[in-house]
Amino acid sequence: MDAKRASESVPQQTLDIYRTLRLREDEGVAAVLSSLDLTEGERTDAVTVLKQLSLLTERQQTGELVLVRPEAALLRVAHESETVYGELQSQLSDNFALVRRLVDDFMPLSVQDPSDTTIQVITDPHRLAVILDDFTEHTQREILSMHPGPLPSKAMVEDALPRSQMLAERGLRMRSIYLQRLISASYVLDNLRQLADLKYEIRIASLLPVRLIISDGRQAIIPVDPENGRAGGILISGTLFVRSLVRIFNYFWDSSSSFDEISKSQLSVDMSVEEQAVLRMLASGVKDEKIARSLGVSLRTVARIVADLMTRLEAESRFQAGVRAVQLGWL
């Protein structure tokens, strides 16, 4: 799916066309589109958007357009995201193996000065903190960072703010990606708003593989053990290896959501369990009556929750509410 286009609001005309295709599903997509009072450009635009949202697909052999229900599209997108995530993890693992192989076996054979490419494993937390200070102090242009968790303490977030202010005052470009679930903590969300005010560029992702900091595309710090932040870090210097990490960062940057969009959304991060259940079933196309039976509540209660969710999602239809919930990482 085209992440940039998918993050935009779906045009009302496209929603109307999809609704008509659902109502006249037995007639076939091509026949219904031909019967509608649309220009060729309007028809092409609608088909393009619905394909990007995985709501239309083409049969490989015939090229025939086939309608896809929202719940099936959601499962397909989730599966594709999981596949891409797995491929990136595999690529990252292969890159680290390549680093070790080149350094251990081939670096000694080089007739050139190897000082441009070094790898240091630091397990002492105090030494790692000193190296991190030196790392940021010598950055001249840009720092890239990914933050998959775990959730930092409020004290850690507050202690890091002066450093962030100092880096902003130096005029560095700061691009950071945070895992979606981290902003469920109000103090993290407040901190990100402070960073945005300092001109940090921030995006939110539903999946991130590893904690990562990159300086000027020449140095990077990654954890020794992604599952244990206290195990230490690996400092990699030299564009040869860091280039691959920059590419991975840019992939997640391009496929993540704008922090401004999420922070301005009226969707609360403190949804009740009941609201979360309604939202999942709503996105899957479940009718109000079945939602009410599943949750053991009245039809009026379900209608009220659905109306509230659509308002907070700024959605004009149930379908658009499901799309917006996926875009914001809440499904």
Side-chain angles (χ1 to χ4, degrees):
M1 182 187 298
D2 186 322
K4 181 177 180 182
R5 182 62 184 268
S7 66
E8 300 172 358
S9 298
V10 178
Q12 184 60 47
Q13 184 181 55
T14 301
L15 291 172
D16 293 339
I17 291 171
Y18 181 79
R19 186 180 296 109
T20 301
L21 290 172
R22 286 288 301 275
L23 292 172
R24 299 168 58 184
E25 191 169 353
D26 293 342
E27 300 177 35
V29 173
V32 174
L33 289 175
S34 299
S35 71
L36 299 178
D37 185 18
L38 300 170
T39 66
E40 186 62 30
E42 290 172 336
R43 186 180 297 109
T44 299
D45 286 345
V47 168
T48 299
V49 172
L50 292 175
K51 281 184 177 179
Q52 290 168 340
L53 292 170
S54 298
L55 293 168
L56 276 183
T57 186
E58 289 186 5
R59 296 191 190 280
Q60 291 185 352
Q61 295 181 342
T62 64
E64 177 189 0
L65 289 172
V66 179
L67 192 68
V68 180
R69 294 179 178 271
E71 53 269 30
L74 286 170
L75 290 174
R76 176 181 175 183
V77 171
H79 175 71
E80 289 176 352
S81 298
E82 184 178 3
T83 300
V84 170
Y85 177 54
E87 291 173 351
L88 283 169
Q89 283 187 310
S90 177
Q91 179 184 350
L92 188 60
S93 177
D94 290 345
N95 283 338
F96 292 161
L98 175 61
V99 166
R100 291 188 173 91
R101 179 61 61 192
L102 287 171
V103 170
D104 294 342
D105 295 347
F106 290 90
M107 195 65 74
L109 304 178
S110 175
V111 297
Q112 300 178 351
D113 180 5
S115 61
D116 181 59
T117 303
T118 60
I119 297 177
Q120 300 179 54
V121 178
I122 306 106
T123 56
D124 179 10
H126 299 294
R127 182 165 174 251
L128 183 60
V130 171
I131 288 178
L132 185 59
D133 285 337
D134 185 67
F135 181 88
T136 54
E137 182 180 345
H138 289 88
T139 301
Q140 298 178 355
R141 297 179 291 101
E142 179 181 58
I143 291 180
L144 313 177
S145 60
M146 294 198 307
H147 305 272
L151 183 69
S153 67
K154 187 174 183 180
M156 291 175 61
V157 170
E158 293 174 347
D159 290 345
L161 185 58
R163 182 205 294 269
S164 301
Q165 292 172 328
M166 177 194 69
L167 294 173
E169 289 168 359
R170 286 174 50 194
L172 300 177
R173 185 184 184 191
M174 309 294 295
R175 290 198 288 154
S176 302
I177 313 173
Y178 287 81
L179 191 66
Q180 173 75 42
R181 63 179 178 82
L182 296 183
I183 64 174
S184 61
S186 59
Y187 63 86
V188 174
L189 185 59
D190 290 340
N191 176 253
L192 295 190
R193 286 173 176 153
Q194 289 177 303
L195 295 182
D197 290 339
L198 292 171
K199 307 303 181 184
Y200 277 57
E201 299 174 50
I202 300 171
R203 298 184 74 86
I204 305 298
S206 56
L207 289 172
L208 287 176
V210 68
R211 181 171 173 78
L212 171 66
I213 306 175
I214 301 174
S215 168
D216 289 338
R218 291 190 56 82
Q219 284 190 307
I221 295 179
I222 59 175
V224 171
D225 181 357
E227 303 298 328
N228 179 12
R230 297 181 179 180
I234 302 174
L235 173 63
I236 305 172
S237 300
T239 56
L240 176 64
F241 304 137
V242 176
R243 188 184 304 139
S244 294
L245 298 178
V246 171
R247 188 171 182 179
I248 290 172
F249 174 90
N250 284 331
Y251 171 83
F252 281 97
W253 179 267
D254 292 337
S255 61
S256 55
S257 302
S258 163
F259 175 68
D260 286 341
E261 178 185 0
I262 290 180
S263 63
K264 291 176 182 178
S265 170
Q266 297 180 34
L267 180 62
S268 168
V269 297
D270 296 321
M271 284 193 298
S272 67
V273 174
E274 189 176 67
E275 288 173 324
Q276 293 175 16
V278 170
L279 182 57
R280 285 195 298 270
M281 287 187 278
L282 177 66
S284 299
V286 179
K287 300 297 185 183
D288 286 4
E289 292 81 359
K290 187 173 181 180
I291 295 176
R293 289 196 302 271
S294 298
L295 298 179
V297 298
S298 68
L299 191 58
R300 178 178 298 179
T301 297
V302 171
R304 175 181 55 77
I305 294 175
V306 169
D308 182 56
L309 288 172
M310 290 179 62
T311 298
R312 288 150 65 187
L313 284 163
E314 299 179 354
E316 297 180 1
S317 68
R318 289 167 176 253
F319 168 69
Q320 189 179 30
V323 172
R324 287 279 294 159
V326 171
Q327 291 171 348
L328 293 173
W330 291 98
L331 283 177

